[in-house]
Amino acid sequence: MKGSISRRDFLILTAKGAGAAVVSYGLMGCATDDDDDNQTNNSIRFNHGIASGDPLMDAIILWTRITPSSDGEITVSWEIAIDQAFTQLVNTGNTTTSAARDYTIKVDAIGLSASTTYYYRFICNGTTSSIGTTKTLPDGSPDSVKLAVLSCANYPAGFFNVYNLAAQQDDLDAVLHLGDYIYEYGRGEYGSDNAETLDRQVLPATEIFSLSDYRTRYAQYHSDPDLQLLHSKVPFITVWDDHEVADDTWSDGAGNHNEGEGSFEDRKLAALQAYFEWLPIRPWSEGNYAEIYRQFSFGDLVDLYMLDTRVLAREKQLDYADYFDGSVLFDEATFNQDLYETERTMLGTEQLQWLKDSVSVNNGRWQLLGQQVLMGEMKLPGAVALNAMSTTDYAELGPLSLLAGRIKAGDPTITADEQTYYEANADKLTADSLSLLSFPELPYNLDAWDGYATERDKILALFNDASKNLVVVAGDTHNAWANELSNSDDKIVGVEFATASISSPGLEYYLSISDDAIESTEDVFVSLIEGLKYSNAKDRGFLTLTFTQEKVESQWHYVDTILSSEYAELTDRLKVATSHADEPGLTFS
Ligand SMILES: [Fe+2]
């Protein structure tokens, strides 16, 4: 029965809040009466925190990991109650764990009531875990739904103050984690400039490839007190991005994987198994580590679709280097032919069909896509997109070249000041800079939806045709953005809110933007990119989404540092964007 359930059946069951009854069968261990002496003598600790996830109206995943003093199968009890003293238990049970699943424990606690706060804990060999708080999904018509959206936690880059700040929000219904929950690199690699000083060098010390490596890395991340704190307070709904496997992962490879590093397939399987062991995510079926796309409904207010744009079916990213002929000439025609190829995909046929089927039967006031990469079109002048010219230089040379064109054409409106300015700066327009300025506008990031533009058009058309209120959330870039999403007829059909990273370096690092130039650079981005309405190019943070019948609000929160565990919220960088139902578009306060 469990193995024969179809995806469509699962969708329907889950939408009704009945899915847990199906998938929990394989997850819940049975009580055993034959605990051996080994277990009795095996003292254990809960070093890696507790967590809950994938809430439904009547079920929720509970997670922990034990650290035993000796190997062997161990029975762990769990309890879920409506009071913190655990006098009013709602469900309880025993499950077993062992080295085969890295001593992680995952149970699907069923029999719960909608929109209810619960307390849970684990007990093993006389040791009791800390107590976690969690919450089931609402049914009916909730007044509001509030979600936190986070992504990109790089342990060696700094303290997880952003997890701590998110944990101070006491009215969250759930946390959406959009991936890069871990990073795969070894010591001294990406994001490690301050790791030694901060005593946050990665474990294991080298890049991770094997199941053992990935497990060790997850264990280190789960030793972090701020990560543990947020997990203990709010249920997570997670998807992976690329760094849970390797940088720029696609279905059959990754930018950060080469043949000398062994089989990519083996690496991917190890990475995904460790993810399912260490995250409170509900599998389609026990042992299925391949599929993470799934749906959650918050009453009739929000239908949330968590997507896998990364591992399941993504075609390989295009590379600008393949479209240069050895000089500065860019083969725009071939590039566009490849970019707009009709079947080019990130989701794959099956997942896209699942999304279409789901949207057609769901009537939530808001339709929310929780996914990894930016959907908004981020076309920049080619020189900037290719990182051949800084935004500051472009901001000067772009207008200067236009002025040169007007003067050359004999424009009678040229003022004396313009003539003087041109003559003083004309030598900056070198042959090379003029060549760069002549480049067409190009997508800034081919790893994002911009590299899969035809499939993006299909999704925007899907929601527009269905007259649904579309909201997209994204991570991946490490910086915060807000976009108005337009279809091929230039009609705004949805909005996108992208979160800053928890600790991973962003554009300020990649482009070496000085503190003095940050705000002007953000202004340049917003002025150059048509659909982009907000940008934060520097700060680490997260966002909250608050949905009501009338509107959705995105509020971005930032911390002042990740280089000390002492931090403050950057209140002068707080930003709120609003979009109203049935009239998509962004206003700010
Ligand atoms: Fe990231």
Side-chain angles (χ1 to χ4, degrees), residues 152 180 183 243 476 478 504:
C152 297
D180 289 359
Y183 282 76
H243 290 284
D476 182 58
H478 305 171
S504 299

Side-chain angles (χ1 to χ4, degrees), residues 13-14 22 44 77 182 195 217 221-222 225 248 252 259 269 317 441 454 458-459 492-493 502 523-524 528 579:
L13 285 166
T14 303
V22 176
I44 72 103
S77 303
I182 61 163
R217 189 61 57 87
Y221 275 63
H222 271 263
D248 283 355
D252 291 323
E259 284 184 11
L269 291 174
Q317 298 86 345
E441 284 205 322
T454 304
K458 291 176 188 172
I459 289 174
I492 299 171
V493 298
I502 293 160
D523 292 344
V524 168
L528 288 178
S579 184

